[in-house]
Amino acid sequence: VDPVVQEDMDKFQETFKGIKNRFRLINRIGEGTFSTVYKAEDLLYEEYDNDWDIEEKENPSHYISPPVKRQKLSHFGLPEYTQQRRRPKYVAIKKIYVTSSPARILNEIELLNDLRGCRSVCPLITAFRHTDQVVAVLPYFRHTDFREYFRKMTVPDMQIYFRSLFTALDAVHDQGILHRDIKPTNFLYEPDKKRGVLVDFGLAEREGTDCKPCICMLDSAERRRRVHASVAAQIGPASGYPKNDSRPSRRANRAGTRGFRAPEVLFKCTDQTTKIDIWSAGVILLTILSKRFPFFNSTDDIEAMIEIATIFGQKRMKQCALLHGTVFETSIPTIGQAGFTLEKIILWSTCRNDGGDGEIPLTSEEKLAVRFLERCFELDPHKRISAKEALEHPFLKIAEE
Ligand code: ADP
Ligand code: MG
């Protein structure tokens, strides 16, 4: 272990009361914006099962009780599997930064508790608090770094990967939960096992929590009428930008990772649905097919919009903007009216399209992947494929065991 990491782990073990009696930290396995994750050995893993009540009585403040479903075992956030299987010996300890708000931390733990039954979601074993520090304990899930395998993936490999990812999304979406941060580091996949689990519900939310109704929920005639009325009222007959813009500023949840944000997030739609996760999953598929990671590399929302518009073209971006009651205007010459097909983008990215004799066209299985990708990349979230529909799509149907 790197001495710097060792020092960090020693400090954590010293400052977090009682953790040493229970876990032996092995290594640091993740470091993000909101947390540090350690691999640890669960020293009590055999005795555990019957001992929870004693622990709780001795040290009640160390537990965050999940507020819902207070059954005897799940009171501690114990997932169902502990009642059937042996406890895992290795765990991932997620130390959530104290700068995260208590509401955010509670949200993550609450949602993980609600998702306990889902096999494709990494379950929460328990959570502790010591003063202002909160840790979540999850079973350790062996996985391979995405960068190591994504370039080597064949189409059948992709089908297995995405069947696993969409099974997880279907389970999460069925609970009315949006993950909001779908990307390779939050889907722990092991190519040998052909299985992955979804982690990191730090940004997840219940569908409809944001809900100021967005104009995109209306039928198209009504939407057009309102947009025209509002444009006419605000800007008036003279063209140009209004001096005193009295329109309410648009605010919407824009949490997530750059490059994986759906267009409706960029257009600040106030009624975001589980479809935003489907878009992000599509970005992963585009990454694999194009063999480029990260595929989108913007530093802000405007750049992200430019990247998307370059592919999809001005015409479709304008329609998409109108859908959410806003407008898309650009004078950037590289953004054409029609954009490019995803097939072209993939051929260019993989240097298979030199416009001449050297061109290697997509295989029929790659074309199937592209057809699926087009369904994930519907700019209109209402038309975009759902996780359940995706599992029935020929691209994923084939991978069914
Ligand atoms: P953050 O909010 O900081 O992104 P995550 O929950 O995504 O936190 O965890 C960060 C990283 O830690 C993950 O990308 C993964 O590499 C590792 N990790 C998280 N949970 C587990 C787990 N249960 N098993 C193995 N590794 C994990
Ligand atoms: Mg993460």
Side-chain angles (χ1 to χ4, degrees):
V1 179
D2 183 312
V4 179
V5 173
Q6 190 59 53
E7 198 181 315
D8 168 46
M9 294 197 301
D10 290 345
K11 205 173 134 215
F12 176 44
Q13 284 182 321
E14 288 315 314
T15 52
F16 199 99
K17 196 168 154 249
I19 201 154
K20 271 194 298 197
N21 308 332
R22 198 127 158 209
F23 300 107
R24 181 179 67 85
L25 297 194
I26 297 169
N27 208 344
R28 189 165 71 190
I29 50 177
E31 214 177 355
T33 338
F34 304 109
S35 74
T36 301
V37 181
Y38 303 93
K39 181 180 180 179
E41 184 185 348
D42 191 337
L43 299 170
L44 299 177
Y45 89 105
E46 282 197 311
E47 299 98 276
Y48 257 54
D49 276 333
N50 317 313
D51 280 344
W52 291 94
D53 281 281
I54 301 161
E55 292 262 1
E56 154 84 347
K57 272 180 220 128
E58 281 174 356
N59 221 341
S61 73
H62 279 191
Y63 292 93
I64 294 176
S65 312
V68 282
K69 292 187 191 151
R70 290 171 180 278
Q71 296 142 14
K72 197 160 182 276
L73 278 169
S74 63
H75 181 68
F76 304 102
L78 272 171
E80 275 166 25
Y81 79 94
T82 53
Q83 297 162 39
Q84 297 147 15
R85 287 191 236 155
R86 250 160 89 114
R87 303 182 52 76
K89 188 174 163 71
Y90 293 104
V91 293
I93 297 185
K94 178 167 176 171
K95 184 175 87 173
I96 302 169
Y97 294 152
V98 292
T99 46
S100 294
S101 76
R104 215 195 97 111
I105 298 170
L106 179 67
N107 179 59
E108 177 166 4
I109 290 173
E110 231 171 40
L111 293 179
L112 276 178
N113 186 57
D114 292 354
L115 292 165
R116 257 172 312 140
C118 302
R119 253 176 58 82
S120 44
V121 172
C122 192
L124 179 68
I125 294 174
T126 190
F128 301 92
R129 177 179 64 78
H130 175 64
T131 63
D132 57 353
Q133 179 65 69
V134 174
V135 300
V137 182
L138 312 145
Y140 176 78
F141 195 88
R142 183 167 60 87
H143 61 282
T144 304
D145 190 326
F146 180 73
R147 290 169 198 266
E148 278 178 35
Y149 59 79
F150 82 95
R151 281 194 187 83
K152 294 182 266 183
M153 283 172 106
T154 63
V155 174
D157 291 339
M158 295 176 211
Q159 290 171 308
I160 294 163
Y161 178 99
F162 284 96
R163 184 141 193 106
S164 179
L165 176 58
F166 278 86
T167 303
L169 287 177
D170 182 34
V172 172
H173 294 172
D174 254 355
Q175 298 287 314
I177 294 169
L178 300 62
H179 184 281
R180 284 208 83 94
D181 201 14
I182 296 298
K183 58 178 173 179
T185 50
N186 287 338
F187 182 59
L188 310 182
Y189 187 72
E190 183 51 59
D192 293 345
K193 283 196 277 180
K194 299 183 189 299
R195 217 197 122 206
V197 290
L198 216 47
V199 294
D200 198 356
F201 286 73
L203 296 174
E205 62 179 343
R206 297 210 157 274
E207 211 168 14
T209 32
D210 239 9
C211 218
K212 278 171 268 136
C214 176
I215 189 164
C216 72
M217 301 301 284
L218 304 170
D219 71 55
S220 60
E222 177 62 14
R223 195 165 52 231
R224 216 169 299 129
R225 201 192 60 74
R226 289 223 202 156
V227 171
H228 286 164
S230 112
V231 169
Q234 301 294 337
I235 301 179
S239 62
Y241 200 78
K243 256 214 181 86
N244 301 307
D245 191 342
S246 60
R247 288 171 295 180
S249 70
R250 291 169 66 87
R251 290 172 128 260
N253 191 343
R254 281 164 44 248
T257 301
R258 273 198 313 260
F260 291 88
R261 290 195 189 110
E264 62 269 29
V265 179
L266 299 173
F267 283 126
K268 300 185 184 154
C269 168
T270 49
D271 212 346
Q272 298 170 24
T273 66
T274 52
K275 296 290 180 68
I276 69 168
D277 292 340
I278 305 292
W279 176 279
S280 310
V283 177
I284 304 180
L285 179 55
L286 180 58
T287 305
I288 299 172
L289 287 168
S290 66
K291 302 189 196 294
R292 285 183 195 232
F293 184 57
F295 187 89
F296 293 115
N297 204 7
S298 53
T299 51
D300 57 41
D301 278 5
I302 300 295
E303 256 181 55
M305 237 181 258
I306 293 169
E307 289 178 332
I308 293 178
T310 306
I311 297 183
F312 295 93
Q314 285 198 37
K315 196 159 161 262
R316 290 176 68 192
M317 281 304 270
K318 285 191 164 127
Q319 284 169 353
C320 179
L322 277 181
L323 191 62
H324 308 291
T326 182
V327 284
F328 179 84
E329 283 296 342
T330 178
S331 54
I332 299 171
T334 49
I335 304 180
Q337 283 300 322
F340 302 99
T341 63
L342 290 168
E343 190 165 333
K344 267 265 171 332
I345 299 287
I346 291 160
L347 286 172
W348 279 329
S349 314
T350 52
C351 305
R352 285 156 65 177
N353 184 319
D354 62 359
D357 306 332
E359 179 161 324
I360 308 165
L362 294 188
T363 62
S364 60
E365 51 176 20
E366 283 175 312
K367 282 186 178 156
L368 177 62
V370 170
R371 283 218 306 278
F372 178 72
L373 183 56
E374 282 163 354
R375 295 290 290 114
C376 299
F377 278 166
E378 281 285 355
L379 293 176
D380 181 346
H382 302 101
K383 292 187 188 150
R384 198 174 303 148
I385 199 166
S386 70
K388 206 173 291 308
E389 287 161 354
L391 293 171
E392 294 299 316
H393 190 281
F395 179 62
L396 295 187
K397 197 92 181 136
I398 295 165
E400 205 170 12
E401 292 111 308

